[in-house]
Amino acid sequence: MRLQAERQRLLAAERRLHALDPRAVLARGYAWVEDSAGTPVTQAAALAVGQAVTGVWADGRAALRVEEAPGGGSRRIPPRPPAGTLPAA
């Protein structure tokens, strides 16, 4: 009887852990945004126009660039020059 109770307790804990897994949230159709360091962006105010970020979905990732940001993008980040070119002085 005690073994059965422990088994049930462990199954319940497993279900709770699964519900908290960020990948389970992604599987329900949500996505999150990471900055260049891989840290989740939790506020739009943390973004700047021109900033490179990564969108993360259940089936993969995509490189993104911020086009609009709260406050008009006062933290404007200039776009990177194409690979193999030098930035303008």
Side-chain angles (χ1 to χ4, degrees):
M1 202 62 169
R2 180 165 181 208
L3 182 59
Q4 182 65 23
E6 277 301 303
R7 183 174 284 128
Q8 291 301 318
R9 188 182 69 76
L10 286 173
L11 285 172
E14 179 184 28
R15 284 196 284 293
R16 284 192 305 272
L17 282 174
H18 178 72
L20 295 173
D21 183 348
R23 293 170 296 192
V25 175
L26 296 178
R28 293 194 304 265
Y30 291 89
W32 71 66
V33 176
E34 296 176 347
D35 64 16
S36 59
T39 304
V41 177
T42 59
Q43 297 180 339
L47 297 170
V49 172
Q51 180 177 359
V53 295
T54 301
V56 181
W57 290 265
D59 65 344
R61 307 164 75 80
L64 309 170
R65 183 148 322 264
V66 177
E67 292 186 2
E68 293 182 19
S74 58
R75 289 183 47 229
R76 188 169 192 78
I77 296 175
R80 285 189 175 163
T85 63
L86 295 174

